Each structure stands twice: as structure tokens, then as C-alpha cells.
Amino acid sequence: MTPPPPQPPPSGPNPAADSAADPRPGPGPLVVLFGATAGALGQDLGSDETDLILLVWQVVEPRSRQVGTLHKSLVRAEAAALSPQCREASGLSADSLARAEPLDKVLQQFSQLVSGDVALLGGGPYMLCTDGQQLLRQVLHPEASRKNLALPDTFFSFYDLRREFHVQHPSTRPARDLTVATMAQDLGLETDATEDDFGVWEVKTMVAVILHLLDGPRGQLFSKPEVVKQKYETGPCSKADVVDSETVVRARGLPWQSSDQDVARFFTGLNIARGGVALCLNAQGRRNGEALIRFVDSEQRDLALQRHKHHMGVRYIEVYKATGEEFVKIAGGTSLEVARFLSREDQVILRLRGLPFSAGPADVLGFLGPECPVTGGADGLLFVRHPDGRPTGDAFALFACEELAQAALRRHKGTLGKRYIELFRSTAAEVQQVLNRYASSPLLPTLTAPLLPIPFPLAAGTGRDCVRLRGLPYTATIEDILSFLGEAAADIRPHGVHMVLNQQGRPSGDAFIQMTSAERALAAAQRCHKKAMKERYVEVVPCSTEEMSHVLMGGTLGRSGMSPPPCKLPCLSPPTYATFQATPTLIPTETAALYPSSALLPAARVPAAPTPVAYYPGPATQLYMNYTAYYPSPPVSPTTVGYLTTPPAALASAPTSVLSQPGALVRMQGVPYTAGMKDLLSIFQAYQLAPDDYTSLMPVGDPPRTVLQASKEWVCL
């Protein structure tokens, strides 16, 4: 609906001449603006991501106290469903909104009509004035961003009438708790109670409040407009910076390929601090779908929290409070090299991943080509290296504009040598995060270093009171393992979950769980074996504490069994341990009773003068070793191992028929007649056979069987 043209000013003194002669120059023309959406109103305006349906405005000339014509325009909404609150307050229907103009047409009419009114009232640049900040920051700017509309420059600065009222009347309630009705009530203004046209009463009352404020002491009134940043500014953050926790939020559920500009666009209308978007990375250096965002003040942060579960494309984004310490931990850095790299402002940062270790600046510049030059040439490249100088295959590049960055992104998965290179948009915070991650102490120390004793005991013995999980998803956490075990998780010992990592400090897919007893471990294995976790089936097999210690202390897992840790005897401290003594294995009485003595070897290999020892963590004895295969994840995994004498009482309780050689007794029933040695070894690929040869695999069968008839049962020692 098109409103009538504005009326000419009344006869009398020239407003322009009066304003020129006014000894107290005031602000330029003000456009009092009111709007409503199809959803929530008032303080929650824009929090439900609904479209704008109404705009009402009127021009006020502060110096001449003249007002223009009041205009009202409906806006067509894509989702015409009105909330009960909006339907009751506005009296509008879906049919009336369906006949309205779209937002881009309404904005064109708004600019034309406002320019005509301002010209009739004396001319000059005008400024918007709204009741609060929700209309512009939470409604107009986000909706224009979703619909790819370019707002005029006049929508990037405005006066907040609540804040201006609070400047002149600071003794009243806080600015965020003010409304049009309460401001009129505090000033003692009489309003037209018979006005039932939605939006018209609000604009008329706002105009009356503005004119009343202008009649009082001006001071700083209408002198500092609110500003909406048109562009997100990148920049570094230092570890020494102090970040107010009332200005930081955490966004969760971001698409993995989203950049800082995409995050800033999601929060369009709100002022993000310079370098205030920090994309979070996981342990493998890849984005995990979270980001920390720092705003310029707490008011902007509170508005950002209202965008909880708003959408970025087809994904909804969760927004929560965060702390300044979390932001500094992610985005802060101390490297002078990074500071120099990020000192160039208004640069687009790209991350290159998968570079050959021998690649240098010339190779990267040649890969990108002359059509997308890097800012500063080789100085615009930052290679990520380990503390010892070895390359990681990652690098960052600076580009002067968005067009050059887009040209470089077209080289995504192009080849350099024999490797394909991945290119992604990056941020200053991600540069700091990646550099901090590699600059920290390495997971695998290059020099032998003492390990701290663990604060909890690791029980001795070879009783199979542990379970081993094989085939875990690489993203599995301890919480996932506890959920996977279900009721059996209640039987886990304190600090009994041990994640096994590989040489690079990444999950290997294995984990060891210490249970309260061998019976509980067997029950957990039977209940959870080959149960699915995140679309993968996981093998759950019982094992002993000794076997677990071998792996956690650096033993390798091969198809022939479990090899001992790479640490040899010279690295033991104190160096008085001259030899590795064999560990006598005690088989429980109930287990040994299952097998008659005739099923065992008649001649056991018994040391002449054995000194029984067993794996047991001794705080007094520390082990110095280099981890070359598996590195335990602190703090739940053991970090020391001592060699303490087995208690004599334990040896005395052992049956005389038990073999004293190292190893465990396993009887296999139902073995196919065609099974060979390799087939049996493949079953025990995660466990080490006692001797180096395979003579301990003994066929157990009837004496009349011939050589062609292989035994159906085996005893593995």
C-alpha cells in the first residue's frame, strides 16, 4: 500500500533559516522506525528467525520541531504463518500479507519516501531512530543476508531511543528494560489511547518522546549513533590479551568447510571484535564444527545468544556462553613469526594441507600459479613445522582480495609432485591454533626423559581381568566406550580406561579396560563382542594386566603376537638391573582344575633358581624409555613400571602341576582339521606366545592318529 505524498511545511518562518540561526545546533533529520515480524515481539523480536511483515516510519526535524507524514507498509513474508501473539497484536492475516510487496521493493519505497520528506523539511543527511536495537540488528540485517539483499548505508548507523532516554534520565530503570509505553509514562506524556492501528501508536509516541527530550538539556543527546559493522575485520590475538567473559559465545554445529566470514555472516548485524572468530580444531588439526566468537560488548553477546538454533544453510547452529580464557586458549599466540605474518591487514588467509615435506616457497608459488599471486611472494607464506624443524605438510598463504582467494581455491586437490593438495579458507585464530599445537611439547619425545609415577596402582598378575577393544572408531571417546559397555561400565576399576595412541599421537582404534574381576571381564566380552559403535563393530576379548602393560609401555602388536617394549635394559633406572627376568605366570586354581595333568607338558622348563617377579607399578622405580609404537593417553594410562618380587604367599598357593614357564594356558576346541600353524597364530595375533619359536603349540589327540590326521584340539602355552 502506497501512503499519500508528504504535505508541504506550514507557512511561516523558513525552517532552514531557523536552523542556521539556531545557536544550539542539533542532530540532522531523524527517521523514527518501527517494525514487526510474524513471530515474537518486544524484547524477543527476531529471536525466532521469522520474516519481517511490517514497517512504520515518520521523519522528524529536531531543529525546527517539524514532522513529516507517517507511512506504513506491509512486507510479504515467505512463511505467511503468523504467531498467535502477532495475530492478536497486529490484526493482520495471511491473505493481506500475501498481497504485500517483497522486502526489496519495500526498502526501495522507504528510501524514496524518506528522501522526499527530508527534502521538504529542510534537507540534509538523516539518521534512523528505533526503539531498541532488535529491529535492525536482529531482523533487518539477518533477513537481508539470508535473501542476499544489499541494505542502504543508512541502515548501518542509527540512534537507540532507549539509550538516548537513559542518557537524559539515568535514574530510571535500565535502558534494556525500557519500552515506548514506559518512556512516555516516565515523562508524563498523554498518548492517544484510541489508536488501534498496529505500529502507528508506537511511532507517534516515539516522536512525542523525541520532541520532549529535545526540549530538555541536550548535552550528549543524539550525538553518538550506534554503528553496525559492514565487514568483519581479521587480526591476531595475543596470549597476553585479557578477554571479558561477558563478550564471548561458543557456536556449535558449524559446517566443517565454514570460514570466519561465514560465521561473521551468521552473526550479521552484531559487532564482532577484530579477530574475534576462532574456529576450533580437533586433535588431528581438523575443524570440529565449533567456533568461539568475541563481541565488542556484553550487549552484543546477549543478542547473539538469542540466535540459538538459527540456521546456516540447512543446519541449525547452537549458541552458548563461553569464557575469555577459552577464547585466548584457542585464538591466542606468542610466536613473533605468526605476528609478522598476520600483521598485514585486510588479507584473505588460505590453508594448504598435504604439501610434500620437501616443498619450499618456490614450489608453492608455482603450484598456485601467476593468476593468483600471494601477497608479498614468499613472505606471504607461512610453513608449519615441528619444534625440531621438520615440516608438517601444512602452510598458510595470504591473498590481497577475495577474487584472488577464489582463484586459488580452484586449485583444491591439484597435484604438487605426486601429492594432491587441499586448500581451505582459514582464519588468524586457526593459524595461531595450528602453530600452538605443533609448538607445544611433542607427544613422542626425541630424547629420553623421565616419566612421572602414576597416582594409582596397576594390579599385578596375569589373571584375565581386563578386556581389549579392537576396531574402535578413531573419533571414539571415553564416554563413547562407557556407553558402549553399558551395564558393564559399572565394573570398571577407577582410572581403568586406557586409550592406545600411535606414533603420531592419534587414536589407534585400540583400548584396554581394567575390570574388577576376571568373571566381570569375561561377561563384558561375551555381552559386547562385535557390538556396533558408530557403524563399526568392535571386538572385545579378555586379556591380562601383563598383556595390557606390554602394549601401553610401548610393545608392538604384530601378527605373530605381542612384542616387548623397545626399551632395553640400559635405559632402566637405577642401572643395577642386569637382565630381564622371566615373569612366572600363575594360573588360577579353578582354571587349572579344568585340565588334567596329562594334558600338560610332562617336562616343564623350570629355571634353576628362579626369582619370581611380576609387572607392578613401583613409585620408587622409574622407567626411562622412548615410545616408538604406542603412547598411553594421560592421565588414565600407566606411565611407570617396576619389577617387584611376587609375594611368597601367592607362589605358595599355586598348584604343583602348573607350568612355571612364562605364558598362559589356552585350550582350543573345535579347531578345523585343515587348520595350520598360521591359522592358529592369526587368532592370537594380539597376544605374545611364550617362547620365540612355536614349539609350544602341541597337538592333543588320540595316540592311534596318523600324521595325515591333524589333531582337533591344541594347547597353546
Side-chain angles (χ1 to χ4, degrees):
M1 124 180 184
T2 304
Q7 300 295 326
S11 59
N14 188 350
D18 290 345
S19 62
D22 190 352
R24 299 180 302 168
L30 300 176
V31 180
V32 180
L33 183 63
F34 174 83
T37 66
L41 302 175
Q43 297 285 359
D44 298 328
L45 185 68
S47 61
D48 50 6
E49 210 176 4
T50 53
D51 289 343
L52 186 72
I53 62 171
L54 175 68
L55 279 180
V56 184
W57 68 91
Q58 189 173 23
V59 178
V60 178
E61 172 42 68
R63 288 167 290 190
S64 63
R65 308 296 193 271
Q66 300 294 317
V67 297
T69 305
L70 190 143
H71 304 273
K72 179 178 179 179
S73 181
L74 297 180
V75 184
R76 184 193 306 168
E78 294 182 357
L82 299 177
S83 67
Q85 180 186 9
C86 178
R87 187 182 299 109
E88 180 182 357
S90 64
L92 299 174
S93 64
D95 295 336
S96 60
L97 293 178
R99 296 189 298 268
E101 296 288 346
L103 180 60
D104 55 342
K105 298 293 184 182
V106 173
L107 293 178
Q108 291 179 6
Q109 295 178 5
F110 172 83
S111 299
Q112 295 173 0
L113 294 173
V114 168
S115 298
D117 287 352
V118 171
L120 290 175
L121 295 179
Y126 61 88
M127 190 78 68
L128 301 180
C129 182
T130 61
D131 174 31
Q133 305 195 27
Q134 283 84 357
L135 176 59
L136 287 178
R137 295 191 183 274
Q138 298 286 74
V139 178
L140 271 171
H141 281 279
E143 184 173 347
S145 177
R146 292 195 301 268
K147 298 180 178 179
N148 293 320
L149 301 178
L151 290 175
D153 293 341
T154 54
F155 287 91
F156 288 88
S157 59
F158 64 98
Y159 289 115
D160 183 357
L161 183 57
R162 299 181 186 181
R163 185 165 295 179
E164 301 298 329
F165 180 89
H166 193 265
V167 169
Q168 196 171 91
H169 300 274
S171 59
T172 58
R173 66 199 78 193
R176 60 184 178 183
D177 297 335
L178 293 171
T179 63
V180 175
T182 57
M183 287 187 289
Q185 181 181 359
D186 293 341
L187 295 177
L189 299 178
E190 295 183 2
T191 57
D192 187 2
T194 61
E195 181 63 65
D196 58 354
D197 195 356
F198 182 61
V200 174
W201 180 88
E202 286 79 1
V203 171
K204 289 183 177 180
T205 306
M206 291 170 65
V207 170
V209 171
I210 291 173
L211 295 176
H212 189 280
L213 293 177
L214 292 173
D215 290 337
R218 292 186 183 178
Q220 300 296 323
L221 196 63
F222 296 108
S223 59
K224 296 181 180 180
E226 305 290 326
V227 177
V228 180
K229 289 187 177 181
Q230 300 191 33
K231 184 179 179 181
Y232 167 66
E233 301 175 354
T234 61
C237 176
S238 173
K239 290 283 188 183
D241 292 348
V242 178
V243 178
D244 186 4
S245 295
E246 297 298 320
T247 63
V248 182
V249 300
R250 178 185 295 272
R252 181 181 300 165
L254 300 169
W256 67 268
Q257 71 273 22
S258 59
S259 65
D260 56 345
Q261 298 295 337
D262 298 323
V263 176
R265 184 175 181 180
F266 175 79
F267 290 104
T268 184
L270 305 179
N271 294 341
I272 300 176
R274 183 173 181 267
V277 177
L279 300 174
C280 301
L281 306 180
N282 59 17
Q284 287 74 41
R286 301 177 182 270
R287 297 171 185 172
N288 62 3
E290 295 187 4
L292 294 173
I293 301 93
R294 175 189 180 189
F295 295 91
V296 295
D297 54 41
S298 59
E299 186 175 9
Q300 306 287 313
R301 195 280 303 267
D302 294 340
L303 293 176
L305 291 173
Q306 293 184 357
R307 300 196 186 184
H308 179 60
K309 291 195 174 182
H310 283 204
H311 287 78
M312 178 184 291
V314 296
R315 298 175 63 95
Y316 73 85
I317 309 300
E318 300 174 351
V319 184
Y320 303 99
K321 292 182 179 180
T323 64
E325 291 78 7
E326 292 176 329
F327 181 84
V328 174
K329 181 179 179 181
I330 296 298
T334 58
S335 173
L336 295 178
E337 183 183 12
V338 177
R340 287 194 298 268
F341 177 77
L342 298 176
S343 61
R344 300 180 178 89
E345 298 183 359
D346 300 328
Q347 298 291 315
V348 182
I349 306 175
L350 295 186
R351 180 180 179 183
L352 293 82
R353 191 168 59 197
L355 294 171
F357 292 153
S358 59
D363 301 317
V364 176
L365 294 177
F367 167 77
L368 295 173
E371 62 274 8
C372 43
V374 176
T375 302
D379 293 336
L381 295 174
L382 178 63
F383 289 88
V384 183
R385 301 183 182 277
H386 289 285
D388 58 0
R390 293 180 295 112
T392 63
D394 282 21
F396 295 92
L398 296 176
F399 295 91
C401 61
E402 188 68 28
E403 291 74 16
L404 294 178
Q406 289 288 351
L409 287 173
R410 287 193 285 269
R411 297 286 295 159
H412 178 59
K413 291 196 174 181
T415 57
L416 177 58
K418 296 183 179 180
R419 297 180 62 91
Y420 73 87
I421 311 302
E422 298 175 296
L423 284 87
F424 306 96
R425 290 181 177 273
S426 187
T427 66
E430 184 174 0
V431 175
Q432 300 276 25
Q433 211 173 154
V434 172
L435 267 294
N436 291 342
R437 178 169 166 266
Y438 283 105
S440 60
S441 56
L443 289 175
L444 304 179
T446 57
L447 298 177
T448 307
L451 300 174
L452 298 177
I454 57 176
F456 54 90
L458 185 63
T462 56
R464 307 182 72 78
D465 57 349
C466 302
V467 292
R468 178 187 173 199
L469 279 63
R470 291 186 297 196
L472 291 170
Y474 293 143
T475 58
T477 62
I478 293 181
E479 289 75 13
D480 296 329
I481 293 176
L482 297 179
S483 177
F484 170 79
L485 293 176
E487 297 178 357
D491 300 321
I492 299 177
R493 293 183 181 180
H495 305 284
V497 180
H498 307 268
M499 305 288 289
V500 182
L501 308 182
N502 61 14
Q503 282 184 327
Q504 290 74 34
R506 298 177 180 177
S508 65
D510 282 20
F512 288 91
I513 313 294
Q514 290 180 276
M515 310 299 288
T516 55
S517 64
E519 292 77 11
R520 297 296 184 182
L522 180 61
Q526 292 175 344
R527 186 184 301 113
C528 301
H529 183 57
K530 291 194 174 182
K531 182 180 173 182
M533 178 192 293
K534 297 183 178 180
E535 301 181 356
R536 293 187 58 136
Y537 78 85
V538 180
E539 298 179 359
V540 183
V541 293
C543 67
S544 66
T545 306
E546 181 180 6
E547 293 165 339
M548 179 187 70
S549 300
H550 267 293
V551 177
L552 294 180
M553 297 310 299
T556 57
L557 296 178
R559 296 194 61 83
S560 61
M562 186 166 56
S563 302
C567 175
K568 300 303 180 182
L569 294 174
C571 67
L572 288 176
S573 175
T576 55
Y577 293 90
T579 57
F580 252 121
Q581 304 182 29
T583 305
T585 303
L586 302 181
I587 303 179
T589 305
E590 60 272 14
T591 304
L594 297 176
Y595 302 94
S597 58
S598 60
L600 304 178
L601 277 176
R605 290 172 290 175
V606 181
T611 303
V613 296
Y615 277 111
Y616 193 86
T621 305
Q622 292 190 353
L623 177 65
Y624 294 77
M625 68 192 312
N626 284 327
Y627 292 98
T628 61
Y630 291 87
Y631 190 86
S633 57
V636 296
S637 299
T639 55
T640 61
V641 62
Y643 297 94
L644 306 181
T645 304
T646 304
L651 292 176
S653 62
T656 57
S657 61
V658 176
L659 298 177
S660 58
Q661 67 185 42
L665 181 66
V666 177
R667 183 173 183 176
M668 304 174 61
Q669 296 180 345
V671 178
Y673 289 110
T674 57
M677 191 74 66
K678 291 185 178 180
D679 299 322
L680 297 177
L681 292 177
S682 65
I683 298 176
F684 295 94
Q685 60 179 343
Y687 304 98
Q688 181 182 3
L689 297 177
D692 292 337
D693 57 10
Y694 307 130
T695 57
S696 58
L697 290 175
M698 304 173 300
V700 179
D702 300 330
R705 286 185 179 177
T706 63
V707 178
L708 297 178
Q709 292 177 323
S711 167
K712 195 177 180 180
E713 294 185 1
W714 294 76
V715 175
C716 179
L717 298 179

